[in-house]
């Protein structure tokens, strides 16, 4: 099953920096195991453009749509047997300690 893993900042990171995981090791391990299909770091939120259409009019604004202190900084597309495996993959990501991880299954419209 495929899961989208959104990697986000968090204003309250873990203060325990002992044994902090290395992102390069995390990527290599999950790539080798076939759990990480693709992933990228995103450009800063200042590079974001929000596009909306309202009453037939195109509305474009600079920056992200949501005004929050948490920002999506990257993503990984995962291939996991189930949600438990996806949670375990997310748990070991460095940003699970410094930020937060959101996991969402991809919708399966063929079922």
């Amino acid at each position: 099953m495929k899961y989208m893993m959104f990697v986000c900042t968090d204003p309250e990171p873990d203060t325990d920096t002992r044994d902090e995981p290395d992102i390069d090791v995390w990527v290599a391990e999950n790539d080798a195991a076939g759990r990480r299909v693709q992933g990228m770091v995103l450009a800063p939120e200042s590079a974001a453009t929000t596009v909306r259409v309202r009453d037939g009019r195109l509305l474009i604004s600079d920056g992200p749509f949501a005004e929050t202190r948490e920002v999506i900084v990257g993503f990984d597309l995962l291939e996991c047997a189930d949600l438990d495996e996806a949670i375990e993959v997310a748990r070991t990501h460095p940003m699970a300690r410094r930020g937060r991880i959101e996991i969402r299954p991809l919708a399966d419209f063929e079922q």
Side-chain angles (χ1 to χ4, degrees):
M1 182 168 203
K2 286 193 172 51
Y3 293 87
M4 181 60 74
M5 188 176 85
F6 296 101
V7 180
C8 308
T9 61
D10 190 323
E12 298 177 12
D14 186 3
T15 57
D16 179 5
T17 57
R18 291 174 292 151
D19 302 321
E20 193 162 309
D22 181 281
I23 188 61
D24 294 327
V25 172
W26 184 90
V27 168
E29 288 175 353
N30 286 286
D31 282 358
R35 292 183 296 255
R36 182 175 172 273
V37 177
Q38 182 179 11
M40 293 293 279
V41 174
L42 300 176
E45 64 182 307
S46 60
T49 301
T50 299
V51 177
R52 297 177 290 156
V53 176
R54 300 293 183 267
D55 295 321
R57 291 187 13 242
L58 173 63
L59 304 173
I60 300 172
S61 57
D62 292 335
F65 174 72
E67 296 200 17
T68 67
R69 296 184 344 177
E70 298 84 14
V71 178
I72 298 172
V73 295
F75 73 92
D76 291 281
L77 179 60
L78 306 177
E79 179 71 50
C80 297
D82 53 30
L83 179 58
D84 289 337
E85 183 180 12
I87 289 170
E88 182 59 23
V89 171
R91 181 189 71 77
T92 63
H93 192 285
M95 283 299 284
R97 293 176 63 178
R98 285 184 267 140
R100 65 178 62 187
I101 305 289
E102 178 181 333
I103 304 168
R104 198 178 306 178
L106 298 187
D108 185 0
F109 294 110
E110 295 181 12
Q111 288 186 353

